[in-house]
Amino acid sequence: MTTVAGGPAGGSGAPGGAVGSVTGMSSVAVGQKRPWKAALDDLADGWKQRELWGHLGWQDIRQRYRRSVLGPIWISITMAVTAVALGILYAGLFNNDLSVQLPYILVGFIVWGFISGCIGEGAEVFIANEGLIKHLPAPLSVHVYRLVWRQSLFFLHNLVVYVVMLVIFPQPLRWTDLTAVPAFLLLAVNGAWVALLLGIITTRFRDLTPITQSIVQLSFFLTPIVWIYDDLLNSPNPAVAERARLAELNPFLHFVEIIRRPMLGEPQNLTNWVVVLVITVVGWALTMLVLRRFRSRVSYWV
Amino acid sequence: MTVTETARHVSISTEGACVDFPIFDAKSRSLKKTVAGLVGGNIDSGAKVPIIEALKDITLHLEHGARVGLVGHNGAGKSTLLRLLSGIYEPTRGRAAINGRVAPVFDLGVGMDPEISGLENIMIRGLFLGMTRKQMESRVDDIADFTELGDFLRMPLRTYSTGMRVRLALGVVTSIDPEILLLDEGIGAVDAAFLEKSKKRLSELVERSGLLVFASHSDEFLRELCDTALWMEHGQIKQQGPLEDVLRAYKGAGG
């Protein structure tokens, strides 16, 4: 075993002079990887560590309800209580039938929970993992996958409430409504770029974290979750119907719709899918640019 | 970090690598000039955002079999160098190439969760160190034996004393098979009887690993694990060579 502790051996105190390749180092070493490759490797290597983030995502959920008797069932209970309370309230306010208003609000809430979780937690994904980032050389994407996985688990817990709702208020579901599954996957893919992009930016500019939280909160009201979009479109008052069109400028509407429509047995709307697909492509392209440029800076910034 | 199929052999090499930290929230500081030069790296206050040059012009080449001790004052850049070598910090200038799976042990507690049991923590800590679930499952008994914690392993970590936590962490850390092992000081904080036992495991771990860099203030530990050394000062390599030579020079300089 030849030990080559580089530099001029023997202790001539030269501070890091030029060093030739000592003892025939076949320099196949990774070298300074090209930034594009490094960015793609980050995503791929992170994906390979599924065991790690998969485990951690579960742990996060169990951790949140540790020492409580019901544990993660609380996720479902909270969702059920909120949906029922708001369902009753808004059914009264809008003079709608509870069997229409409640399922609409419940499904909207479940989807919104995922969206706001990805954005809200995405805005601090690297800040919150400072300890891990500074101590372990893991790809950045590991923290993002963990976040999206955790949010997906929340989503699954909330689906229990949806199933219960189906028993009480049956919906006209058909096989084609299984498009909700790819729709959710698409939502998760978008959650990943949003968290990655926001995570990088907010790590550098800390003021953006609270701003993001406010925007998410505001978007909740701008997105048809408690108010029924179609009702406004078909409103007898032409001014209201006109204004309702503006809601289509809200990207969140399209993400909610591609999942909510099939889950309530309504036909899919092509426009929604086109908008979502365009956002997916553009969003990932933008994120890759930022990842390529700033990936290696995140550990300096946290 | 990165294992290239074609290059199975383990190595780290850097060329003129620098690590500069931007300090965004320190624009109006009055101590700027006086602070520089006492401890730590150099603070460049000319730029818009102050920059701390934590490491400067690091050129080194470590191959399979290297057993390098890292000495230097507090703030000389030892920990930052370990992070550079692990790939956590990519050099802001210069180059660094790391070939091999890195197991960084800077903080025994990182990734440990106080609310879950010792056994679960063993699994998580192992996954963090790059092991697979299967590998960890086959090692759990060995780790449990070593820690002598018995039934306590089923209790949440928050019920453990500091010493018990160190035992657990050491048990996991010394059970892995790293290609590149980077150790930071602070591993000696265990009771004497246990220390003897962990020393043996630690040297076995070092035997197994392809490459070791170990930062420590303890000459005794350094002599036990290393044969060469690297002396850091002000973020630069002051001297490198055989352990005894470097230690003598370092002590001579009032270290």
Side-chain angles (χ1 to χ4, degrees):
Chain A
M1 275 204 287
T2 27
T3 306
V4 187
S12 69
V19 166
S21 57
V22 208
T23 41
M25 158 74 182
S26 56
S27 53
V28 212
V30 246
Q32 204 71 330
K33 284 191 288 186
R34 278 161 306 145
W36 274 120
K37 184 168 169 11
L40 287 170
D41 280 354
D42 188 283
L43 295 178
D45 292 343
W47 187 254
K48 280 185 207 139
Q49 297 194 24
R50 285 187 294 280
E51 273 192 347
L52 177 61
W53 54 258
H55 194 96
L56 290 171
W58 267 116
Q59 203 64 60
D60 290 337
I61 298 235
R62 287 165 50 190
Q63 164 74 43
R64 198 162 304 193
Y65 299 93
R66 185 71 52 172
R67 292 202 238 178
S68 77
V69 182
L70 294 178
I73 301 174
W74 275 115
I75 302 170
S76 319
I77 296 178
T78 315
M79 176 58 69
V81 169
T82 316
V84 168
L86 289 184
I88 294 172
L89 172 66
Y90 283 93
L93 281 179
F94 294 138
N95 202 17
N96 281 338
D97 201 55
L98 189 63
S99 64
V100 174
Q101 186 79 41
L102 197 143
Y104 188 87
I105 285 190
L106 175 67
V107 176
F109 247 96
I110 293 177
V111 179
W112 184 256
F114 184 87
I115 294 176
S116 70
C118 285
I119 300 177
E121 291 183 8
E124 45 188 23
V125 59
F126 300 130
I127 302 170
N129 286 306
E130 177 186 348
L132 293 180
I133 290 175
K134 281 195 176 157
H135 284 97
L136 298 163
L140 286 182
S141 60
V142 163
H143 307 290
V144 171
Y145 295 141
R146 172 187 182 180
L147 188 163
V148 175
W149 172 234
R150 175 173 65 232
Q151 290 300 328
S152 305
L153 290 173
F154 275 124
F155 186 89
L156 289 174
H157 275 95
N158 286 330
L159 278 190
V160 176
V161 188
Y162 170 72
V163 172
V164 173
M165 179 216 84
L166 281 183
V167 175
I168 304 171
F169 300 111
Q171 303 294 317
L173 295 182
R174 287 149 303 146
W175 281 111
T176 49
D177 292 330
L178 283 176
T179 49
V181 177
F184 175 74
L185 292 179
L186 203 51
L187 183 64
V189 167
N190 277 279
W193 77 254
V194 168
L196 192 52
L197 181 68
L198 276 178
I200 294 175
I201 298 175
T202 52
T203 308
R204 170 66 184 81
F205 301 102
R206 302 291 169 107
D207 302 82
L208 289 178
T209 309
I211 294 178
T212 315
Q213 319 284 18
S214 318
I215 292 177
V216 172
Q217 209 145 51
L218 188 62
S219 307
F220 170 77
F221 295 104
L222 293 175
T223 310
I225 293 164
V226 293
W227 47 279
I228 300 180
Y229 177 53
D230 283 342
D231 284 3
L232 293 186
L233 276 183
N234 303 327
S235 163
N237 181 344
V240 171
E242 188 64 27
R243 237 176 287 151
R245 283 260 153 235
L246 288 176
E248 283 176 16
L249 295 176
N250 174 359
F252 295 118
L253 173 137
H254 303 277
F255 282 96
V256 172
E257 287 283 85
I258 60 168
I259 302 180
R260 183 171 53 198
R261 294 185 75 92
M263 281 175 82
L264 296 179
E266 291 166 22
Q268 287 278 10
N269 205 331
L270 186 65
T271 325
N272 297 331
W273 281 83
V274 172
V275 173
V276 166
L277 284 171
V278 168
I279 291 178
T280 311
V281 172
V282 174
W284 266 109
L286 179 67
T287 305
M288 288 311 289
L289 280 173
V290 171
L291 186 65
R292 186 192 90 100
R293 177 78 183 76
F294 297 110
R295 181 192 50 83
S296 60
R297 300 301 294 158
V298 170
S299 59
Y300 285 83
W301 290 340
V302 285
Chain B
M1 190 173 112
T2 327
V3 184
T4 324
E5 293 302 325
T6 46
R8 271 317 301 182
H9 86 232
V10 172
S11 71
I12 299 179
S13 62
T14 67
E15 254 184 72
C18 299
V19 169
D20 304 323
F21 285 102
I23 306 299
F24 297 115
D25 52 358
K27 277 178 190 163
S28 53
R29 221 178 0 193
S30 50
L31 292 169
K32 278 182 208 166
K33 292 277 191 281
T34 49
V35 169
L38 293 181
V39 285
N42 302 312
I43 301 171
D44 176 4
S45 43
K48 249 189 213 156
V49 175
I51 283 172
I52 294 181
E53 296 180 314
L55 292 179
K56 211 168 148 191
D57 210 8
I58 302 292
T59 299
L60 53 86
H61 188 93
L62 307 174
E63 289 249 20
H64 186 98
R67 303 277 176 265
V68 187
L70 214 49
V71 297
H73 299 283
N74 290 323
K78 298 191 296 293
S79 300
T80 315
L81 180 63
L82 284 177
R83 287 188 183 144
L84 173 76
L85 299 182
S86 72
I88 292 173
Y89 295 143
E90 291 179 21
T92 34
R93 285 167 285 153
R95 294 155 47 83
I98 300 146
N99 233 355
R101 194 158 44 85
V102 180
V105 183
F106 304 152
D107 179 340
L108 283 173
V110 69
M112 293 261 186
D113 186 335
E115 289 294 323
I116 61 180
S117 75
L119 284 173
E120 286 175 286
N121 267 302
I122 290 177
M123 178 62 77
I124 286 205
R125 190 73 175 96
L127 288 173
F128 269 132
L129 287 167
M131 307 290 285
T132 64
R133 189 187 275 269
K134 269 218 182 77
Q135 283 174 316
M136 283 318 288
E137 271 162 10
S138 66
R139 275 158 224 230
V140 141
D141 288 337
D142 167 55
I143 296 169
D145 266 1
F146 168 72
T147 58
E148 297 171 352
L149 287 170
D151 288 340
F152 252 99
L153 283 174
R154 298 189 194 289
M155 295 285 138
L157 195 72
R158 70 188 140 82
T159 62
Y160 288 27
S161 70
T162 317
M164 287 160 79
R165 281 176 205 219
V166 175
R167 278 169 181 242
L168 186 76
L170 260 179
V172 183
V173 165
T174 52
S175 75
I176 57 172
D177 300 314
E179 290 180 329
I180 297 173
L181 180 63
L182 305 173
L183 292 176
D184 209 342
E185 55 208 336
I187 292 176
V190 218
D191 53 281
F194 192 71
L195 192 63
E196 268 316 304
K197 207 173 145 190
S198 50
K199 258 186 192 161
K200 193 168 143 274
R201 263 178 87 102
L202 212 60
S203 9
E204 281 168 6
L205 168 72
V206 169
E207 285 297 310
R208 281 203 303 276
S209 64
L211 197 164
L212 168 79
V213 183
F214 177 38
S216 175
H217 286 296
S218 151
D219 294 358
E220 190 199 346
F221 248 138
L222 284 169
R223 287 200 175 94
E224 208 150 313
L225 299 177
C226 309
D227 48 21
T228 56
L230 217 150
W231 174 9
M232 295 294 295
E233 200 171 89
H234 295 303
Q236 289 177 309
I237 298 176
K238 173 114 171 168
Q239 186 185 351
Q240 54 187 128
L243 179 69
E244 291 303 330
D245 293 1
V246 175
L247 276 183
R248 206 175 310 121
Y250 175 56
K251 297 287 162 193

